[in-house]
Amino acid sequence: MLKQVLMSRFSLRRLGILHRTFLSDAYSCREAWQARLTTPVLAQVNHDSLYYELEQKLHQKAKVSAIDIDIYANKMVDDSHIEEVADLMHKFRLTEETSNTLDSTHHAIVRNYVEHSHYSELIELLNNRLGYGVFLDDFTSNLTLDRLITTNEFKWAARIVTLLGLQEDFTNPITRSLALYACYRYVKSGEIDHFDDLIPPPPQEPTEGKKKKKDEIKVRVNFIRNEFFDDHFDIKDTKLLLGKTFFLLGLNSEGAVGNSSKLLGLVLYEKYSKAVEFVQTSAGTEINEEVLGLVKTFLGKHEHKDDEHYVKLVDLLGTANFGMKVDGGSFEKLLIDGINRSVEDNEERQIEEQKSIYIQWCELRQHRLEEELARLQRAKRIQEMEKMSREMEQEEQKLWFFENEDKLDLQIDSKKVFYPKRWFGKKKKPRVVDEGYIPPEVRQRQGQQ
């Protein structure tokens, strides 16, 4: 019986149906994660009606609370609302309440996308940080990378790692080891294709016939902003992104793994001057032979003979003894050993952290919902009091109308607006008065006398 089970697992593995994961099944904490659906906040919510309610609020008032978005995101149990949650996050990002987004909202969205294999949509959300504001945490990073690596989706995994590299945070040992392995497997394949979300749109072909002349609108500006390249968020080249990510991973690693990652990263990043400096200052330290061969391959494919630092690096690595000790072991095996070691040392602790934080999120969600309800009730009471005050004032005016008639008349007159008369016709010249003018009748009388 055991032999049949093993043979069936082997056949499934060959067909690609069963995959070995680096993280155990316990790391996903499915029971603790599903427990959120049994809380009073989420158990009584109708997902479809909540979406239309939020959509109506955003359309009419352009404002919705962060707790409502969190409830909608955490209520998702399938991929039927993938487009709706992305649309809500985009609209919610334009409101002032976006700064109050809960961490559980990010976690729920990313986890749902990964569990239902919507990798391209997830990349779109994560890459458009200003438009959606969705970010990975340590747990979703590990779950996402483990899922992509074990399903041989190394291109998507490398793209996730480059997005993590933009945050410059590889302090989590499991994330760091998985990220190194994902990037190396993708780079090892040889040809580095452009990431799908970084491919520029094709140029539009000119239409035949005469084009309609568009009206030009010229806007006066105070100054023209100079072009600026920050060499970080502005990087759109896949090879440069991978290079900088490799270098950052190498800074957080030690030994042959760290040195190999740094050199490979600097070469992909095309920082040849820093690569020469690194090789010269790392004399006596170890570097992996496979990575060294990969570095030489990339240097041969992307020639920059007009760059003196490139030529110096090629000559330096071409010598038999360039100062660093070459390790002949398998670099991939080193990375896998590093993953297993980091998982063994940190998995149990991170599982307990996840379970604890899921409970905290449920408590926080309940607390925020109670605060929101109290705020709405307080605003409703204030509105009712203001309405009652206006009604009492109107009733008072009716009861004391004859006693305050003169006062009311003065108030009405004071509210009248008197506009000065204006003449919009042709202006007449002022009449010139002749001081020596004598009327005709006076002249006749003087003549008779």
Side-chain angles (χ1 to χ4, degrees):
M1 183 65 182
L2 179 61
K3 184 177 180 181
Q4 293 178 356
V5 172
L6 292 175
M7 288 297 294
S8 63
R9 289 176 63 87
F10 178 73
S11 60
L12 289 172
R13 192 185 303 278
R14 289 186 61 186
L15 292 174
I17 301 174
L18 185 64
H19 302 280
R20 176 190 178 277
T21 59
F22 290 106
L23 300 174
S24 65
D25 292 337
Y27 191 87
S28 60
C29 302
R30 294 188 182 277
E31 293 182 2
W33 175 245
Q34 294 297 329
R36 78 194 189 282
L37 298 174
T38 60
T39 57
V41 179
L42 298 178
Q44 302 174 2
V45 172
N46 187 312
H47 209 195
D48 294 328
S49 61
L50 178 60
Y51 171 74
Y52 292 117
E53 182 180 349
L54 295 177
E55 184 73 18
Q56 188 176 9
K57 285 183 179 180
L58 288 169
H59 180 71
Q60 295 178 353
K61 302 179 181 179
K63 185 177 181 181
V64 70
S65 64
I67 186 63
D68 290 337
I69 297 294
D70 183 71
I71 292 173
Y72 184 83
N74 280 271
K75 186 67 176 179
M76 289 193 306
V77 293
D78 52 29
D79 60 346
S80 59
H81 297 273
I82 291 292
E83 296 180 359
E84 286 81 358
V85 73
D87 181 62
L88 284 178
M89 288 300 297
H90 180 67
K91 294 177 180 178
F92 178 66
R93 188 67 172 170
L94 302 176
T95 66
E96 59 184 8
E97 286 291 318
T98 185
S99 59
N100 299 322
T101 306
L102 301 178
D103 294 336
S104 56
T105 305
H106 305 278
H107 190 95
I109 293 174
V110 175
R111 185 158 183 154
N112 189 268
Y113 273 66
V114 173
E115 287 181 354
H116 297 94
S117 303
H118 289 274
Y119 305 134
S120 60
E121 293 89 345
L122 177 61
I123 296 295
E124 182 180 355
L125 256 68
L126 296 175
N127 189 34
N128 192 352
R129 293 170 291 277
L130 293 177
Y132 296 100
V134 178
F135 300 92
L136 294 166
D137 57 17
D138 290 341
F139 308 121
T140 51
S141 299
N142 295 338
L143 290 171
T144 304
L145 290 176
D146 183 67
R147 175 71 173 271
L148 293 172
I149 290 172
T150 52
T151 54
N152 296 326
E153 297 286 351
F154 294 109
K155 184 175 181 180
W156 292 120
R159 182 64 180 122
I160 291 290
V161 177
T162 55
L163 291 172
L164 293 173
L166 294 177
Q167 309 303 321
E168 300 187 50
D169 184 14
F170 289 108
T171 54
N172 189 296
I174 297 179
T175 306
R176 183 170 62 249
S177 58
L178 289 172
L180 261 174
Y181 182 73
C183 287
Y184 179 71
R185 284 296 304 269
Y186 179 59
V187 172
K188 185 183 177 181
S189 61
E191 293 294 332
I192 300 178
D193 298 329
H194 284 289
F195 293 129
D196 295 341
D197 58 314
L198 296 180
I199 298 176
Q204 297 181 354
E205 297 181 358
T207 56
E208 296 181 358
K210 294 183 179 180
K211 294 183 179 180
K212 293 184 179 180
K213 192 174 182 180
K214 296 183 179 179
D215 296 335
E216 294 184 358
I217 301 176
K218 296 183 179 180
V219 180
R220 185 182 296 276
V221 295
N222 295 329
F223 58 89
I224 299 176
R225 192 180 298 277
N226 294 328
E227 293 185 3
F228 178 74
F229 182 75
D230 66 355
D231 203 18
H232 190 71
F233 293 103
D234 293 337
I235 300 177
K236 301 301 179 184
D237 187 273
T238 302
K239 187 168 72 71
L240 300 181
L241 267 176
L242 286 170
K244 185 161 189 177
T245 305
F246 256 117
F247 182 71
L248 291 173
L249 288 167
L251 292 176
N252 292 273
S253 306
E254 299 177 352
V257 173
N259 292 333
S260 303
S261 301
K262 290 177 188 175
L263 182 59
L264 179 58
L266 290 173
V267 170
L268 292 175
Y269 197 21
E270 297 184 359
K271 302 293 182 181
Y272 302 119
S273 60
K274 292 184 178 180
V276 171
E277 183 181 356
F278 171 74
V279 173
Q280 292 175 345
T281 57
S282 302
T285 58
E286 293 184 351
I287 188 171
N288 186 265
E289 185 177 6
E290 289 183 359
V291 176
L292 185 60
L294 199 59
V295 166
K296 293 179 180 179
T297 301
F298 279 110
L299 287 174
K301 287 183 178 179
H302 306 279
E303 295 184 353
H304 298 274
K305 295 183 178 180
D306 54 340
D307 189 346
E308 58 178 357
H309 300 291
Y310 167 82
V311 176
K312 187 175 181 179
L313 180 62
V314 172
D315 295 339
L316 185 61
L317 297 179
T319 57
N321 184 13
F322 59 90
M324 300 183 71
K325 298 179 182 179
V326 179
D327 180 19
S330 172
F331 191 67
E332 185 173 341
K333 184 178 182 301
L334 286 176
L335 297 180
I336 293 176
D337 292 341
I339 294 174
N340 294 330
R341 188 165 50 253
S342 62
V343 169
E344 183 180 355
D345 295 340
N346 301 278
E347 186 181 42
E348 186 175 353
R349 175 178 54 83
Q350 293 190 18
I351 289 173
E352 296 301 323
E353 288 179 0
Q354 278 192 84
K355 293 180 179 179
S356 175
I357 203 170
Y358 289 162
I359 296 174
Q360 293 177 14
W361 283 346
C362 291
E363 294 175 352
L364 179 62
R365 189 178 300 115
Q366 181 68 34
H367 178 67
R368 289 289 182 87
L369 182 61
E370 292 175 356
E371 287 183 346
E372 184 68 16
L373 292 175
R375 186 187 66 81
L376 292 176
Q377 291 176 0
R378 186 167 56 252
K380 186 178 180 180
R381 286 197 301 268
I382 293 173
Q383 187 177 4
E384 290 176 352
M385 291 175 63
E386 291 177 350
K387 181 180 178 182
M388 187 182 298
S389 176
R390 289 194 299 269
E391 290 177 353
M392 291 176 63
E393 185 178 354
Q394 292 175 0
E395 191 67 25
E396 183 181 0
Q397 289 180 358
K398 292 179 182 178
L399 294 173
W400 301 94
F401 173 75
F402 295 102
E403 287 78 358
N404 300 325
E405 186 175 4
D406 295 336
K407 184 179 179 180
L408 292 174
D409 291 339
L410 291 174
Q411 291 179 358
I412 293 172
D413 292 337
S414 65
K415 292 180 180 179
K416 289 183 178 180
V417 180
F418 296 95
Y419 297 98
K421 293 183 179 180
R422 297 181 61 185
W423 173 255
F424 297 96
K426 187 177 180 181
K427 291 184 177 180
K428 297 181 179 180
K429 294 182 179 180
R431 181 178 297 177
V432 179
V433 179
D434 187 5
E435 296 180 354
Y437 173 74
I438 301 175
E441 296 179 357
V442 177
R443 291 179 179 175
Q444 293 177 3
R445 291 176 184 174
Q446 291 178 354
Q448 294 175 359
Q449 292 178 358

